[in-house]
Amino acid sequence: MPSRYRSALGAASAAILAIAAGAFAPGGPAVAATTPTATAAGLIRVIVEYDDPDAAALAVSRAGGKVGRPLSVVNGFVAEVPSQRLSALKTAPGVRGVTVDGTVSLSAARWRADGDSNSMFSVVRATGALDVWKKLDSTGRNIAGTGVGVALIDSGVSPVTGLNDTTRIINGPDLSFESQASNLRYTDTFGHGTHMAGLIAGRDPLTNLLTVSDPSNFTGMAPNATLLSVKVAAADGATDVSQVIAGIDWVVQHRNDPGLNIKVLNLSFGTDSNQDEKLDPLSHAVESAWKKGITVVVSGGNDGTTRSNLSMPAVNPYVIAVGAADSKGTESRADDVVADFSSRGNATRSVDLTAPGRSIVGLRDPGSYVDVNYPTGLVPGDTTGRYFRGSGSSQAAAITSGAVALLLQQRPSLTPDQVKKLLTSTADVMPKAEKLGSGAGALNIKRAIDAPTPSAAAAAQSWVASTGAGSLEASRGTAHVADPTSGVELTGEKDIMGKAWNGTTWGKAATAGTAWSGGTWNGAAWTGTSMSTGQFPGLPTAKTWSSVTWSGTNWDGRTWSGRTWSGATWDGRTWSGRTWSGNTWSGRTWSGSYWSSSIWQ
């Protein structure tokens, strides 16, 4: 453990561990009071610091408790234990210390969403979504995304308030490395996916969409949409391109499953691949989804002016590539500019439009990697502790995906090409913004809803079709994961299961929408074969795709079985590669851009 944390814990463990759990930001408001947090089952929530993670987890289990999320910044984890066993747990082997977690009240000026131009309370007004919700579709329903499925391929979604509606939030397959840990499966240990999900389809209980005037209520762009979470990333974003491609293929194949109706795919992800987009497998995967009737929204990337290309697969000309706009702290579009971190691309391929992407206030995922390691993302004065602020083309893509869901409820028969045409032809002019990087302008979903439907011929895109026959290794760019035991990176033409990659064979299957056979992809069993309820801890009515125990070996020839799949071992700290766009993660094993958010503050 770093000395700065060890000394701080010795001096004021309760306050510092509250920071570790994400209760407040260092240097922010003073702590007014801390009270123990009890769970519904009568257990006390605690922070367990360990010398030996497995021994500490075993001690919690023997005490009749439950192990929760890892807190890598303090070499610990969250747990729930009976209060009468606290003393015994503190002296158990492998346990360095146990501190009761608490509800921390802060003395500061209260933050209000209606006073923040980057809150979703303000974003839904600036983009016209609030006006759209008051309109009716052809069946007399308010246009809020009802009946439209949005697939989110990301780091999972945690059931925080606003995302705990089991009638709308569904867990698709978990294809991440954490799928093999029952306590981590489906859950967002990173924090990115939860933030995106809230912007797309978050909605607080009992919110009346016709009178959304209470700034204490959180509402995403399409608050009635169905959101399908496909988890591909582990605790610090660790994922391989093969996992992302497998997730896209799964969405395509299951888009018409009962209760899903997947019409939108959000991918806030991109590598620095320079491979021709017609050959790149990741590019071909999103193009295949597009041609199967799914509107694919992709973050343009957060490389600013340092690269002359958008991220892969945003370079694919079919999909909707979104850049991040900076509101300059006002609700007026007149002073909006392209955010400095947002990728500009080049004259051949830049973003199609922009959406709000600077300092966006979304839903916080307490105890997640981002929450623990980037306390500057916490919102000062937020007495609820529910919110987290982030910047990136990720956020811009998520906001746009929600807008697309509104459009597709109004006009379900729109093709992806028509959706793209409507959004780009009705975008607001950004007079202060540079042309390269702003595309057609700023998202205005009200104007798109009010605009006439362009003919299929007028909207049709006729780019040269991709094949996906290129290199999987080239698709990774400089982004690689590594086995946490051996340190061996996954490189070459093989997936995480060590299966050989044949781009020509896979490309044809992806085009046909047949890359999956049951729970098998590229010759290995990755997931289960059915949807059911009762698999998600704490939410017995949540719909969840079944899992499967991985067999065989990974790319390094090491067996999946017999691994220690604890949060302490697989918390992402030992995975190497590239993650969030920008330089936020410099100095760690991850550098550069992968998931397209750059700043948590």
Side-chain angles (χ1 to χ4, degrees):
M1 171 183 283
S3 60
R4 66 182 183 277
Y5 290 121
R6 189 178 296 114
S7 61
L9 288 168
S13 60
I16 296 299
L17 284 171
I19 295 175
F24 61 94
V31 179
T34 304
T35 56
T37 302
T39 69
L43 304 177
I44 298 297
R45 186 171 292 116
V46 298
I47 307 295
V48 178
E49 296 175 79
Y50 55 72
D51 292 314
D52 182 330
D54 293 326
L58 180 61
V60 170
S61 179
R62 287 176 173 171
K66 303 175 182 178
V67 175
R69 292 179 178 159
L71 298 173
S72 59
V73 73
V74 293
N75 283 358
F77 53 79
V78 178
E80 296 176 357
V81 295
S83 58
Q84 65 271 23
R85 302 301 301 275
L86 283 178
S87 296
L89 180 61
K90 291 178 180 180
T91 59
V95 176
R96 177 184 294 132
V98 179
T99 303
V100 176
D101 194 8
T103 301
V104 181
S105 60
L106 310 178
S107 53
R110 182 183 178 187
W111 174 83
R112 287 179 60 92
D114 56 350
D116 189 327
S117 63
N118 297 314
S119 71
M120 286 307 291
F121 184 85
S122 298
V123 168
V124 297
R125 285 161 170 76
T127 59
L130 181 63
D131 294 322
V132 171
W133 299 342
K134 300 172 184 178
K135 296 176 179 289
L136 304 179
D137 65 12
S138 60
T139 66
R141 300 175 301 180
N142 291 95
I143 300 174
T146 304
V148 178
V150 181
L152 174 64
I153 298 179
D154 214 288
S155 59
V157 175
S158 292
V160 297
T161 301
L163 291 171
N164 55 356
D165 181 353
T166 58
T167 66
R168 297 189 307 111
I169 312 300
I170 300 172
N171 286 309
D174 186 338
L175 307 177
S176 74
F177 299 113
E178 292 176 343
S179 66
Q180 302 304 288
S182 59
N183 64 318
L184 303 178
R185 189 179 300 135
Y186 310 115
T187 302
D188 182 11
T189 57
F190 194 14
H192 184 266
T194 299
H195 206 261
M196 300 305 107
L199 306 185
I200 296 169
R203 189 188 74 210
D204 279 359
L206 305 179
T207 299
N208 184 335
L209 299 180
L210 299 184
T211 58
V212 182
S213 57
D214 184 351
S216 66
N217 287 333
F218 182 88
T219 314
M221 291 289 290
N224 284 355
T226 299
L227 188 131
L228 176 82
S229 169
V230 178
K231 179 177 176 179
V232 297
D236 72 347
T239 190
D240 182 61
V241 165
S242 61
Q243 293 167 286
V244 178
I245 294 172
I248 297 169
D249 286 345
W250 190 95
V251 168
V252 171
Q253 206 150 330
H254 292 270
R255 66 191 184 282
N256 295 323
D257 282 8
L260 295 187
N261 189 35
I262 299 171
K263 304 290 287 183
V264 189
L265 190 157
N266 184 91
L267 190 61
S268 295
F269 173 94
T271 74
D272 61 350
S273 168
N274 289 317
Q275 187 169 204
D276 188 319
E277 70 274 6
K278 295 185 291 298
L279 298 175
D280 190 275
L282 183 57
S283 172
H284 182 64
V286 295
E287 184 176 316
S288 296
W290 186 274
K291 291 180 177 179
K292 289 295 183 181
I294 300 174
T295 301
V296 182
V297 182
V298 181
S299 51
N302 288 7
D303 292 312
T305 58
T306 62
R307 288 188 74 229
S308 59
N309 294 330
L310 297 182
S311 294
M312 185 69 73
V315 293
N316 185 288
Y318 279 96
V319 301
I320 299 174
V322 186
D326 184 345
S327 71
K328 292 297 183 180
T330 71
E331 292 190 15
S332 169
R333 292 289 172 85
D335 59 352
D336 286 8
V337 297
V338 178
D340 55 1
F341 55 77
S342 189
S343 293
R344 268 53 170 183
N346 53 56
T348 301
R349 179 56 169 150
S350 186
V351 298
D352 295 297
L353 76 165
T354 69
R358 166 74 77 180
S359 300
I360 304 300
V361 178
L363 292 175
R364 174 185 167 222
D365 185 11
S368 65
Y369 183 89
V370 169
D371 183 60
V372 170
N373 289 279
Y374 293 90
T376 50
L378 296 165
V379 179
D382 168 27
T383 58
T384 68
R386 296 182 57 202
Y387 301 115
F388 207 80
R389 196 184 294 277
S391 300
S393 55
S394 273
Q395 283 77 4
I399 288 168
T400 303
S401 290
V404 172
L406 301 181
L407 201 52
L408 287 169
Q409 180 193 337
Q410 182 203 33
R411 285 171 267 188
S413 62
L414 288 174
T415 66
D417 285 354
Q418 288 174 311
V419 170
K420 185 174 182 178
K421 184 70 171 180
L422 278 167
L423 292 184
T424 55
S425 64
T426 59
D428 286 336
V429 174
M430 300 170 65
K432 297 289 187 180
E434 58 195 288
K435 179 59 179 177
L436 190 64
S438 60
L443 173 70
N444 187 325
I445 187 57
K446 181 181 182 297
R447 290 184 62 189
I449 288 285
D450 292 341
T453 302
S455 69
Q461 301 185 95
S462 57
W463 307 102
V464 176
S466 65
T467 65
S471 165
L472 185 65
E473 173 60 20
S475 189
R476 294 183 179 110
T478 60
H480 296 89
V481 294
D483 185 288
T485 303
S486 67
V488 174
E489 289 189 349
L490 170 53
T491 61
E493 303 307 311
K494 55 187 173 182
D495 63 22
I496 65 166
M497 301 293 185
K499 297 293 183 180
W501 180 261
N502 185 311
T504 300
T505 300
W506 166 82
K508 292 177 180 178
T511 299
T514 58
W516 283 85
S517 176
T520 298
W521 186 82
N522 199 35
W526 286 55
T527 188
T529 59
S530 62
M531 189 78 75
S532 63
T533 58
Q535 297 186 67
F536 197 85
L539 286 177
T541 60
K543 297 176 183 177
T544 303
W545 193 258
S546 58
S547 62
V548 69
T549 300
W550 290 352
S551 61
T553 62
N554 72 354
W555 64 90
D556 189 29
R558 295 175 179 268
T559 58
W560 291 113
S561 60
R563 289 301 198 97
T564 304
W565 292 102
S566 67
T569 301
W570 292 86
D571 66 357
R573 287 176 295 162
T574 54
W575 293 92
S576 62
R578 289 160 36 108
T579 184
W580 308 75
S581 293
N583 297 318
T584 302
W585 300 86
S586 60
R588 297 189 53 80
T589 54
W590 290 78
S591 63
S593 61
Y594 211 1
W595 296 101
S596 299
S597 285
S598 62
I599 304 167
W600 296 98
Q601 62 184 32

